[in-house]
Amino acid sequence: MTTPTIRRAVLYCRISRTKDESVSLERQERDLRKLCELEGWEVTAVIVDDGKSGTKDRDGAARALDLLRSGEADTLLVWAFDRWSRQGLRAVADLIDVLKERKRALFFAKKDGLRSDAQAWRIVASVLAEVAAMEAENTSARILAARSEHLSKTGPEEQRFLGGKAPFGYRAVDNPHGPGRSLAVDPYEAEIVRTVAERLIDGEYLSSVTVWLDANAVPTPQSEARRARQADQPVEGVDRGSWRVTTVRNLWRSETLIGRTTRRVPVLASDGEPIVAADGTPRLERRVVSDAHGLPITRWEPVLDLATFQRLQARLPSVGRVQPRRTVSWLTGIARCASCNGKLYAQKRRKGDREELFFRCAATGDALNPCTSPGHVSVARLEQYIEGKFLAFAGSLPMLKEVQRSAPAYDALALAAVTQAIADATAAMQADGADYSQLVPRLDQLKARRREVLSATTTHEVELVPTGRTLGDVWRDLADDLDAKREHLQKVIVRVAVSRVPGLDSRAPLDRRRIEVGWNRDRGIDIDEPHLAPTDYWGRIKWADIPTR
């Protein structure tokens, strides 16, 4: 294959958000195209990341790098190096890896005059990337402080829109009280909001409303069609997005519909200290911005009146997952829908004066691709059924532990041979007339060989020994430790499929018609085929008699 004589260039342009400024997307593309004309390069693609933070993953940057990696382009051009480097050192490292893979590939930052074929390119690129990352962190801290200060103001003339996409039901307009932007009710979206609110209050299901939004081609909050419409541009043929039940639920529960603003704040423990997640970062939750007296601040003209919003919220709380961030059952993640194999999620349902948790197929809420026969079962009943199966089958089996034993891996015969040779050489040196010029080097070689034999890697053997307890003993000791119970259960049971059986209601007894237990076949467990005499979950002990019920 011949090497192309004309370089193929991909142009990558990026700004934080669309606005008329000196380094607009149009300016960047124009300057880069002019550079390509001067160099005689062919522009094969122009990729844009518009309105995204430089510190976040960017789809456009990934696509541009893929073109360079695959050979569809020979040169990746950016207007300035910080258009790439603010992603951090990882992004620069990925770029360097691609440049190493493809010797012909070239990276060029026009403003900085930085080329990847220049000397000390890697050092310069890494330093600039670290500086850009530090600058981004400092900028982010300043922005958060300024945002917090601004959101605490209550005067109408002080209320400015801080940027980003306008909440559904609003559009960004020039601030009538001074500089910057403000939010005004979008008549088209406001009518959609009110119509959906009325339908939900009247008892219509979220799935039905979701289908109605899609059928009427209503652009989703993040869609390109919405952005084009609010910019007074044509929307014909522009992607309108797809509505999902979760999107509808979250949007119509949002207090932005009554003119309020929310922000993320740390979750505090009972002692007033922030709760830290497993990765070391503070846990955050979204709360409505309030004034010094703790009263919510109304920043914009409400789309819904307060009475309508309150009736809407009274309708919506019964819909949705219960405690989505916390495990509510040791069967979470194991319980599946037999029809679509989707996970079953615990949801709270009121029955008379009491509330009960049910496992329910999540795909029932997918208005566009719903599950045809969703599984549905009481959490308590399913736990009782599976616990009985588990203990009846494995409760009396011994709990084993791993004991690691070490053994030398050297060759005993080789060691005996070299030891004897050393003894012979030593004896020869004691004889009269010994030729030391030959024996000394020979002895050194033999000692080196002995060290080589003895330094062979030690092998480690794992032996499984009974602990004196049974699997049932361990299960009962785990009590309410749901995660530990799930891990213990999965040694024997890895999947529980729940079916909807025609003619049987939710109160019918649980049996094989409704519940299919997926035993851990990888470890030889299959109670439906006892003639196989499978091994236990440790893969060691044989069971001859295995119950089939």
Side-chain angles (χ1 to χ4, degrees), residues 276-321:
V276 179
D279 59 0
T281 59
R283 289 183 55 187
L284 303 175
E285 63 181 353
R286 189 166 291 280
R287 292 183 185 173
V288 175
V289 177
S290 305
D291 60 20
H293 303 289
L295 299 176
I297 300 174
T298 300
R299 300 173 60 82
W300 324 110
E301 177 187 351
V303 176
L304 296 177
D305 62 80
L306 185 58
T308 300
F309 184 76
Q310 290 174 340
R311 290 200 302 274
L312 178 62
Q313 302 317 298
R315 171 72 181 89
L316 290 178
S318 61
V319 182
R321 195 184 304 172

Side-chain angles (χ1 to χ4, degrees), residues 26-101:
E26 293 77 11
R27 161 82 183 277
Q28 293 180 44
E29 182 179 348
R30 183 174 64 251
D31 288 355
L32 294 179
R33 283 188 178 277
K34 186 174 181 180
L35 174 63
C36 289
E37 291 178 7
L38 293 175
E39 296 285 348
W41 298 339
E42 175 189 355
V43 177
T44 59
V46 179
I47 297 179
V48 172
D49 271 324
D50 183 8
K52 297 186 178 181
S53 167
T55 59
K56 296 181 179 178
D57 292 338
R58 295 171 290 180
D59 294 337
R63 292 200 307 273
L65 193 59
D66 284 341
L67 291 178
L68 198 65
R69 179 185 291 109
S70 65
E72 297 178 57
D74 307 300
T75 307
L76 172 57
L77 285 88
V78 297
W79 190 81
F81 187 62
D82 66 0
R83 307 290 136 171
W84 191 273
S85 63
R86 282 200 176 188
Q87 297 176 99
L89 289 175
R90 180 66 262 168
V92 176
D94 291 341
L95 173 62
I96 290 174
D97 288 344
V98 172
L99 294 172
K100 286 173 60 179
E101 293 172 11

Side-chain angles (χ1 to χ4, degrees), residues 5 16 39-40 42 60 73 79 99 119 168 192 196 198 233 248 270 281 303 346 412 417 422 427 497 514 531 547:
T5 57
S16 295
E39 296 285 348
E42 175 189 355
W79 190 81
L99 294 172
Q119 291 184 345
F168 194 78
I192 297 294
V196 170
E198 291 174 1
Q233 297 174 355
V248 177
S270 57
T281 59
V303 176
I422 291 174
R514 297 186 59 193
H531 61 280

Side-chain angles (χ1 to χ4, degrees), residues 303-367:
V303 176
L304 296 177
D305 62 80
L306 185 58
T308 300
F309 184 76
Q310 290 174 340
R311 290 200 302 274
L312 178 62
Q313 302 317 298
R315 171 72 181 89
L316 290 178
S318 61
V319 182
R321 195 184 304 172
V322 174
Q323 298 177 340
R325 297 185 182 275
R326 185 174 67 85
T327 302
V328 296
S329 168
W330 42 268
L331 284 172
T332 300
I334 298 177
R336 296 271 180 170
C337 174
S339 175
C340 67
N341 198 37
K343 289 183 180 180
L344 299 184
Y345 291 98
Q347 292 186 331
K348 191 178 293 184
R349 288 290 184 269
R350 180 170 292 279
K351 284 193 155 189
D353 296 332
R354 62 186 179 88
E355 290 183 336
E356 186 175 353
L357 283 175
F358 279 85
F359 274 128
R360 175 177 177 270
C361 177
T364 55
D366 190 340

Side-chain angles (χ1 to χ4, degrees), residues 1 3 30 36 48 79-80 142 146 199 216 238 246 286 295 338 361 385 431 483:
M1 180 178 179
T3 302
R30 183 174 64 251
C36 289
V48 172
W79 190 81
R142 291 196 299 269
R199 297 175 70 150
N216 284 272
V238 181
T246 52
R286 189 166 291 280
L295 299 176
C361 177
Y385 178 80
D483 292 329

